Amino acid sequence: DTAVSQTPKYLVTQMGNDKSIKCEQNLGHDTMYWYKQDSKKFLKIMFSYNNKELIINETVPNRFSPKSPDKAHLNLHINSLELGDSAVYFCASSQEKGRQGGFNQPQHFGDGTRLSIL
Amino acid sequence: QKEVEQDPGPLSVPEGAIVSLNCTYSNSAFQYFMWYRQYSRKGPELLMYTYSSGNKEDGRFTAQVDKSSKYISLFIRDSQPSDSATYLCAMSPSISSGSARQLTFGSGTQLTVLP
């Protein structure tokens, strides 16, 4: 009963290819995120969707395009892969609407997709 | 200068030791403070979550926030080999600021607890 699941876990591909990573959450959350973690373990947000609407779009090359078919799924498509795209990509989710007491809700992460560009 | 600074370590301690992990930050708008634990080849797992200044205790873990110094700490008592992981601090502004959903992470501290 994995809460946030990503596929594939590992992705090894050639420079210039196009690839997609999929994410699904079964927590009933309304907000999902994509993060990139570099080799030094630094986690940086890329995108966030709330109820299928893009709400965070950080300075990311437009080769990266997120898509949210419904609030339980958030996919990431990457065109023309480059060497610098090699990293671990994490999906996360949280519940934003209806939070109590005005508190931010913590984010729950998947186990990551390890992307290696040859 | 990064918004959140965290000593990357690595930090090695003997089993049973008290571990202190710290982050400093520069953005005074941060109100929510979290500690995540990340095992090798796994995603970050939420460990502690606090709002504003003060202490919070959960079992062997204590989180402290000192907003006046812009400094947060995580203490682990009676450390165990199973605590060996990378610990990431994360923080975000209050909801009214409009950036509530955006977490800013430290770079993580790698901890090894030796049996």
Side-chain angles (χ1 to χ4, degrees), chain A residues 37 55 102 104 107 111 114, chain B residues 32 36 41 49 92 95 100:
Chain A
Q37 188 173 47
I55 54 169
N104 254 353
Q107 295 175 17
D111 281 340
R114 279 146 192 85
Chain B
Y32 297 91
Y36 282 84
R41 305 220 167 252
Y49 179 54
S92 68
I95 292 166

Side-chain angles (χ1 to χ4, degrees), chain A residues 8-113:
Chain A
K9 285 192 186 327
Y10 299 93
L11 189 49
V12 181
T13 190
Q14 302 272 2
M15 207 163 54
N17 283 351
D18 303 339
K19 289 292 178 188
S20 290
I21 308 171
K22 295 187 176 182
C23 179
E24 177 182 2
Q25 54 95 5
N26 63 6
L27 295 165
H29 290 164
D30 61 4
T31 304
M32 296 183 72
Y33 312 79
W34 278 113
Y35 285 86
K36 180 179 180 180
Q37 188 173 47
D38 62 25
S39 57
K40 293 183 180 174
K41 295 282 192 178
F42 187 61
L43 259 174
K44 189 156 169 47
I45 189 153
M46 300 172 69
F47 302 103
S48 175
Y49 271 76
N50 175 264
N51 271 324
K52 302 193 293 175
E53 179 192 347
L54 182 64
I55 54 169
I56 294 175
N57 185 359
E58 287 298 292
T59 308
V60 175
N62 57 15
R63 297 181 295 103
F64 290 79
S65 51
K67 260 200 183 121
S68 182
D70 56 62
K71 68 178 189 178
H73 295 85
L74 180 62
N75 304 324
L76 183 65
H77 188 76
I78 315 169
N79 287 328
S80 303
L81 281 156
E82 299 178 357
L83 288 175
D85 298 333
S86 294
V88 183
Y89 292 85
F90 285 100
C91 177
S93 73
S94 67
Q95 179 62 29
E96 294 300 309
K97 191 176 177 182
R99 55 191 159 207
Q100 294 180 355
F103 287 104
N104 254 353
Q105 293 304 302
Q107 295 175 17
H108 298 260
F109 286 77
D111 281 340
T113 295

